[in-house]
Every structure is written in C-alpha cells, then in structure tokens.
C-alpha cells in the first residue's frame, strides 16, 4: 500500500516534470505488484494529481505465471499522496493542510469529494470487501475522513493510514469549549443532547471498522495517535467505547523529522514494526467531532 501511495506522489511529479512514455517513473510502483492504473484523481482547482485508482491486472499476472491473486490483495486500491513542497500544487496542498489542522474537517473539499466518488465507484464494481484506500500525511487525513464517512453508512473498507496528522489540539480545544459552555449554562440544550446521542450512535456504528495506522513516535505530526502516556491504551483487545485500530509503530531512535514522517520507511525491507490493537482516544475524539460544527462551503 505504501508503494501505491508513492506512485500517487510520482504521478504528480511526472506531470510537473512533463515526463511521459518511457521517461515516466510512477508506473514502476504498481506494475511490479501486477496492478494497472484505471484513473488519476485530479484537483480541479489547479490540475494537480492527488491520487490514483489502481486495479488488479489479471492479464499481467497470468503473463507472469501468477494464476491466483495473493490473499489480502484488494481488487482495487485508491492511493492518496500528501503535500508536495514544490511546484504549482503547493498552494492547494497547504490550503487543505491548514483546514485539516485547524478544523480536522475535509468533508466537502474538492479532494474529499473526488476520493469519495472514486471509492464508491470501485465498491459498486468490486464490493466493499475488495476495495482498499491508503494515504500518507495529508492523503491519510483524506482517507481517514472518507473511511469514517463510509463507516457511518455501514460500509467498511480496508484503510491504511501512513503518518496521519494527529490534530488533537483543535479537538481538545473544541471539547473544552463545549464543556465550558455546558458548565456556564448549568444544563444541556436539546441540541447538545442530540449531538451526544449522535456521537454515541456513530461510535457504535463504526465498531466493525478498524483502520490500520502506521505511526513513528519521532514524527510529531502523527505521534499523538500512539497515545504513549504510560502505554495504557496499547492493549491486545479493545474495551469500552473507544474506536479500535490496528497500530503499527516504527522503532524509536535518532531520526530527523523528514525521516520520521517520510513514506519510504514503510516499504523498507529491514524495518521491524511493533503491532498491536489500540483503543485510540484521539480517533474517538475525531469520530465525535463529525457531529460538531465544522466550516461549510466548498474549498
């Protein structure tokens, strides 16, 4: 999945560098796995490529004497890149980054809508159990929002999130504000009660959805998902009302921010990951946030 996301990055870099035909690089990152590019996801605001829709290439697999699709490999994968800090796409990338960090909300944005349409199209063709979505950094944020929205509808898809931004501060401030407002009034309004009931219903609805989170503790952008306060939340089974997730932790050590946040660490042959089932309090707060006020309008 991380290689597919890398392909999404390279599709945009190929476009910026005007590499075509034998000069393009991106296809190397899906062809080796016997997949083919069905379509690119293009941001209508600047024409940049932010994602790729890939499908299992049965003909290529047969030609390489691979007669059965490997277990666990999806029939279709939607891969989303993160921010590229160069070229014409930087403005739109940072606009979505700012919206995500400030509001933890990408619903209604160009890339959210385009991704949701692509995912639903593949679900209609192959079924939800055969579709996967993956993203890195900003792309992981979009993938998470799409996965949550589908889970609300009772549709669960495989979701791989590499270094997803942990926007815990905005959510914490929002909960503090809501709590302070409650204490000031002394009672809850009907709207507050509806919001609370809606949040609890959502947590119950998404109980069957378990995204895969790939986290590096040295990366402050995503480190809060690990919730390492005494590692009390790192358990072998999920309890209570918190949202469960499969958490993969890269080993600690002296790393620069670029290395800790980089996508390349997730396809390294010698990486040793710690795997566990985690009750992520941060993910729970983000699920609840879907019932709180968020900015409206198109981005």
């Amino acid at each position: 999945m991380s290689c597919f996301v890398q392909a999404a990055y390279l599709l945009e870099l190929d476009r910026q560098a005007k590499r075509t035909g034998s000069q393009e690089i991106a296809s190397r990152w899906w062809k080796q796995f016997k997949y083919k590019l069905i379509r690119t996801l293009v941001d209508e605001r600047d024409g940049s490529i932010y994602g790729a829709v890939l499908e299992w290439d049965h003909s290529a697999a047969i030609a390489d004497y691979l007669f059965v699709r490997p277990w666990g490999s999806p029939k279709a994968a939607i891969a989303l890149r993160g921010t590229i800090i160069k070229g014409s796409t930087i403005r739109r990338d940072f606009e979505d980054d700012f919206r995500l960090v400030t509001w933890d909300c990408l619903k209604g944005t160009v890339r959210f809508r385009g991704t949701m349409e692509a995912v639903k199209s593949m679900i209609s063709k192959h079924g939800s159990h055969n579709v996967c979505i993956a993203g890195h950094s900003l792309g992981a944020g979009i993938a998470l929002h799409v996965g949550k929205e589908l889970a609300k509808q009772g549709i669960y898809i495989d979701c791989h999130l590499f270094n997803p931004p942990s926007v815990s501060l905005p959510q914490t401030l929002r909960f503090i504000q809501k709590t302070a407002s409650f204490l000031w009034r002394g009672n809850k309004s009907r709207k507050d009660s509806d919001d609370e009931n809606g949040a609890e219903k959502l947590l119950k609805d998404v109980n069957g959805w378990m995204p895969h989170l790939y986290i590096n503790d040295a990366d402050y952008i995503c480190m809060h998902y690990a919730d390492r306060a005494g590692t009390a939340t790192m358990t072998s089974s999920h309890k209570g009302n918190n949202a469960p997730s499969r958490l993969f932790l890269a080993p600690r050590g002296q790393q620069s921010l670029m290395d800790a946040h980089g996508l390349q660490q997730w396809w390294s042959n010698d990486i040793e990951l710690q795997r566990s089932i985690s009750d992520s309090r941060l993910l729970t707060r983000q699920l609840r946030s879907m019932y709180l006020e968020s900015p409206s309008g198109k981005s």
Side-chain angles (χ1 to χ4, degrees):
M1 291 302 110
S2 63
C3 289
F4 289 166
V5 176
Q6 176 68 6
Y9 275 103
L10 290 172
L11 279 167
E12 171 57 19
L13 293 175
D14 281 343
R15 185 192 72 87
Q16 290 186 19
K18 295 181 171 57
R19 290 191 294 257
T20 59
S22 61
Q23 293 182 320
E24 61 87 21
I25 302 173
S27 63
R28 304 173 192 174
W29 291 80
W30 64 71
K31 285 184 176 180
Q32 61 177 317
F33 297 105
K34 311 309 173 190
Y35 279 78
K36 58 185 176 181
L37 180 67
I38 297 301
R39 58 178 285 201
T40 56
L41 301 180
V42 179
D43 191 320
E44 63 191 37
R45 299 168 298 180
D46 60 6
S48 64
I49 297 172
Y50 64 89
V53 181
L54 304 169
E55 203 170 50
W56 173 253
D57 190 343
H58 184 69
S59 298
I62 293 296
D64 203 26
Y65 303 102
L66 183 61
F67 300 104
V68 179
R69 179 165 48 91
W71 183 87
S73 299
K75 288 185 178 179
I78 293 84
L80 307 171
R81 67 167 176 83
T83 303
I84 295 179
I85 315 178
K86 67 176 182 178
S88 57
T89 185
I90 187 171
R91 176 186 171 189
R92 296 304 186 186
D93 285 1
F94 275 123
E95 282 182 7
D96 287 345
D97 281 327
F98 181 76
R99 181 179 178 125
L100 179 61
V101 171
T102 305
W103 292 100
D104 186 26
C105 179
L106 291 169
K107 189 175 180 180
T109 62
V110 169
R111 297 184 185 184
F112 174 89
R113 294 196 307 270
T115 302
M116 181 63 79
E117 184 275 326
V119 171
K120 287 188 173 181
S121 175
M122 289 297 101
I123 289 176
S124 297
K125 184 176 181 181
H126 298 293
S128 60
H129 60 289
N130 286 317
V131 177
C132 170
I133 186 171
H136 173 249
S137 194
L138 173 60
I142 298 172
L144 177 59
H145 278 73
V146 168
K148 289 191 294 186
E149 188 64 24
L150 289 172
K152 285 174 60 179
Q153 303 170 26
I155 302 172
Y156 307 132
I157 63 172
D158 202 17
C159 187
H160 295 264
L161 310 172
F162 300 96
N163 298 84
S166 53
V167 285
S168 56
L169 179 58
Q171 291 309 315
T172 300
L173 294 176
R174 210 175 299 180
F175 274 100
I176 291 175
Q177 181 184 39
K178 189 174 181 180
T179 303
S181 177
F182 163 68
L183 293 175
W184 177 262
R185 292 194 307 269
N187 58 17
K188 288 188 176 182
S189 66
R190 176 178 294 274
K191 182 178 184 302
D192 289 331
S193 179
D194 290 344
D195 284 348
E196 188 70 21
N197 292 336
E200 292 302 325
K201 181 179 183 301
L202 173 61
L203 292 176
K204 182 179 180 180
D205 290 345
V206 301
N207 187 52
W209 181 60
M210 187 178 291
H212 302 72
L213 303 180
Y214 300 82
I215 307 299
N216 189 320
D217 281 353
D219 176 16
Y220 74 86
I221 295 175
C222 69
M223 61 184 294
H224 296 291
Y225 274 109
D227 205 357
R228 284 304 188 99
T231 64
T233 62
M234 306 297 291
T235 60
S236 59
S237 62
H238 33 276
K239 303 176 182 178
N241 291 324
N242 286 347
S245 60
R246 290 189 181 92
L247 193 64
F248 297 85
L249 296 171
R252 289 178 171 182
Q254 293 295 325
Q255 290 179 301
S256 67
L257 173 60
M258 294 299 292
D259 288 337
H261 189 66
L263 180 61
Q264 70 279 356
Q265 65 185 304
W266 302 112
W267 69 67
S268 174
N269 289 329
D270 59 353
I271 190 171
E272 295 181 6
L273 298 179
Q274 303 173 37
R275 178 187 177 187
S276 59
I277 303 298
S278 170
D279 289 335
S280 172
R281 287 195 292 263
L282 175 57
L283 188 55
T284 299
R285 289 200 298 269
Q286 291 182 330
L287 289 172
R288 288 178 181 273
S289 75
M290 296 172 70
Y291 283 89
L292 300 177
E293 244 180 86
S294 60
S296 59
K298 296 182 179 180
S299 172

